[in-house]
Amino acid sequence: MAFAPGADDRLSVRALGALNSVVARVYHNLRSDTPCLIPAVGPAILVCNHTSSLDPVLVQAPCTRRITWMMAREYYDIKAMTWLFKMVDAIPVDRNGRDSTALRAALRVLKTGGVLGIFPEGRIETKRELLPFHEGAATLALKTGVNVYPAFLDGTQRNKEMLAAFIERNQTRIA
């Protein structure tokens, strides 16, 4: 998958998108049950259940537009990975309360016509049931009038440590 022309002109981000698609589809055997319904232009909020640290890679693969993900600050601040998260413009979120800096960054993504990715459960689910949703995605949608597009992931990536989810091959499905 290469991002739509003009979506992000940085060669590094376009190359990363192509690599992401190969890793997700070939190595992790991602199968898409439905096409990505996010419109080709304009702001959108994508919400998805959260099954593993691999989720942003898997959700991004079938989308032709780059998704700017909100992510827990404790993962964003892992020294060996921060460079990557900065390159893809991930938005770190402090999970200990309302994070106005992250909210402003999310609103900027939507105001500039971008796609914002949110895991409304706020953490990785360890069982097959959805966790209660936090209100952030709904608040952003109500505040901006931007449409929300749901996605659902399932597969063998569940219940693996962060590194294992990336290294071990998986059988995954997205709808």
Side-chain angles (χ1 to χ4, degrees), residues 23-43:
V23 167
R25 293 173 190 276
V26 176
Y27 189 74
H28 291 296
N29 197 30
L30 177 66
R31 298 294 174 245
S32 185
D33 292 338
T34 56
C36 182
L37 299 177
I38 295 173
V41 296

Side-chain angles (χ1 to χ4, degrees), residues 26-97:
V26 176
Y27 189 74
H28 291 296
N29 197 30
L30 177 66
R31 298 294 174 245
S32 185
D33 292 338
T34 56
C36 182
L37 299 177
I38 295 173
V41 296
I45 299 170
L46 184 137
V47 295
C48 188
N49 63 314
H50 205 3
T51 62
S52 78
S53 58
L54 186 60
D55 294 350
V57 170
L58 299 172
V59 176
Q60 178 65 74
C63 294
T64 57
R65 294 182 62 196
R66 184 173 62 89
I67 302 167
T68 300
W69 289 99
M70 298 188 83
M71 67 180 297
R73 178 170 295 285
E74 60 265 28
Y75 296 111
Y76 184 92
D77 289 339
I78 295 173
K79 296 289 183 215
M81 297 297 295
T82 300
W83 66 271
L84 175 65
F85 300 141
K86 286 181 179 182
M87 182 172 40
V88 298
D89 300 322
I91 300 171
V93 179
D94 288 320
R95 293 197 285 183
N96 58 1

Side-chain angles (χ1 to χ4, degrees), residues 105-119:
L107 288 169
R108 273 193 304 276
V109 168
L110 297 173
K111 186 176 182 178
T112 59
V115 178
L116 181 68
I118 301 174
F119 297 110

Side-chain angles (χ1 to χ4, degrees), residues 86-153:
K86 286 181 179 182
M87 182 172 40
V88 298
D89 300 322
I91 300 171
V93 179
D94 288 320
R95 293 197 285 183
N96 58 1
R98 297 197 185 273
D99 185 343
S100 60
T101 302
L103 176 62
R104 284 191 304 273
L107 288 169
R108 273 193 304 276
V109 168
L110 297 173
K111 186 176 182 178
T112 59
V115 178
L116 181 68
I118 301 174
F119 297 110
E121 294 166 289
R123 62 186 169 105
I124 294 171
E125 63 186 65
T126 57
K127 298 178 181 167
R128 296 194 55 85
E129 297 86 29
L130 288 174
L131 300 171
F133 284 10
H134 292 253
E135 60 199 38
T139 300
L140 285 166
L142 290 170
K143 184 175 268 215
T144 62
V146 171
N147 289 335
V148 177
Y149 297 87
F152 181 78
L153 279 171

